[in-house]
């Protein structure tokens, strides 16, 4: 922890913040210990179900079920933020305008060359 140097554009993770890590009140420590005990109990139950040699049914993991449902149905859980709006604009709108500009300027350049008679046509049918 002593070798950790903060990045200029990122905040320090809570686990590395000495004020959050060392200066915990007894209530916070007790709450963390209770949560750790609940996690350990759930993990032990899952491991006993998983390693049961006489198991015939599927093991239902509610967290995995929620995650799969959220991945399959992203729209009810989508929150428009500045980042998602910016990414949507960059990947959805900007390429359309960029392609329009490229094709339009290329067509205009070719039309000017055709009118001026300076375009070198490679596959001419009338020569």
């Amino acid at each position: 922890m002593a070798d950790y140097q903060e990045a200029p554009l990122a905040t320090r993770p809570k686990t590395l913040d000495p004020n959050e890590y060392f200066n915990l009140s007894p209530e916070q420590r007790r709450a963390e210990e209770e949560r750790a005990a609940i996690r350990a109990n759930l993990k032990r139950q899952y491991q006993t179900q998983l390693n049961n040699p006489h198991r015939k049914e599927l093991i239902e993991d509610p967290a995995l079920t929620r995650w799969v449902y959220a991945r399959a149905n992203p729209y009810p859980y989508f929150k428009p933020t500045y980042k998602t709006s910016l990414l949507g604009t960059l990947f959805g709108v900007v390429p359309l305008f960029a392609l329009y500009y490229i094709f339009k300027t290329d067509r205009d350049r070719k039309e000017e060359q055709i009118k001026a008679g300076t375009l070198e046509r490679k596959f001419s049918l009338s020569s």
Side-chain angles (χ1 to χ4, degrees), residues 86-103:
L86 182 65
L87 288 175
T89 303
L90 284 176
F91 290 110
V93 178
V94 171
L96 295 175
F97 284 107
L99 288 173
Y100 171 77
Y101 176 77
I102 290 169
F103 289 135

Side-chain angles (χ1 to χ4, degrees), residues 8 18 26 29 31 39-41 43-44 50 55 63 66 75 78 86 89 91 97-98 100 108 111 117 119 121 126:
R29 283 187 192 271
R39 275 195 309 269
N41 190 17
K43 184 177 179 180
R44 186 183 53 77
L50 182 66
R55 172 173 49 101
R66 286 192 306 269
Y75 300 112
F78 176 74
L86 182 65
T89 303
F91 290 110
F97 284 107
Y100 171 77
D108 291 345
E111 281 184 14
L119 181 66
R121 296 186 183 211
S126 63

Side-chain angles (χ1 to χ4, degrees), residues 58-70:
L58 289 175
I59 299 172
E60 192 69 27
D61 187 3
L64 184 62
T65 305
R66 286 192 306 269
W67 182 82
V68 169
Y69 179 80

Side-chain angles (χ1 to χ4, degrees), residues 5-121:
Q5 295 178 356
E6 291 191 36
L9 298 176
T11 59
R12 182 186 292 237
K14 278 187 123 179
T15 55
L16 294 177
D17 189 7
N19 293 328
E20 291 288 327
Y21 190 71
F22 293 115
N23 299 331
L24 293 178
S25 67
E27 297 86 28
Q28 288 175 327
R29 283 187 192 271
R30 194 174 308 111
E32 282 186 10
E33 288 171 0
E34 288 174 3
R35 285 192 294 267
I38 291 171
R39 275 195 309 269
N41 190 17
L42 287 172
K43 184 177 179 180
R44 186 183 53 77
Q45 287 177 1
Y46 182 76
Q47 290 295 329
T48 55
Q49 288 177 359
L50 182 66
N51 295 323
N52 182 5
H54 305 294
R55 172 173 49 101
K56 293 192 175 26
E57 70 278 348
L58 289 175
I59 299 172
E60 192 69 27
D61 187 3
L64 184 62
T65 305
R66 286 192 306 269
W67 182 82
V68 169
Y69 179 80
R71 292 287 293 184
N73 303 305
Y75 300 112
Y77 303 101
F78 176 74
K79 292 188 173 93
T81 61
Y82 179 74
K83 181 180 174 183
T84 57
S85 302
L86 182 65
L87 288 175
T89 303
L90 284 176
F91 290 110
V93 178
V94 171
L96 295 175
F97 284 107
L99 288 173
Y100 171 77
Y101 176 77
I102 290 169
F103 289 135
K104 179 78 170 117
T105 54
D106 187 50
R107 185 187 312 148
D108 291 345
R109 185 182 55 81
K110 277 191 179 176
E111 281 184 14
E112 289 298 320
Q113 288 178 346
I114 289 171
K115 286 180 184 176
T118 58
L119 181 66
E120 187 70 35
R121 296 186 183 211

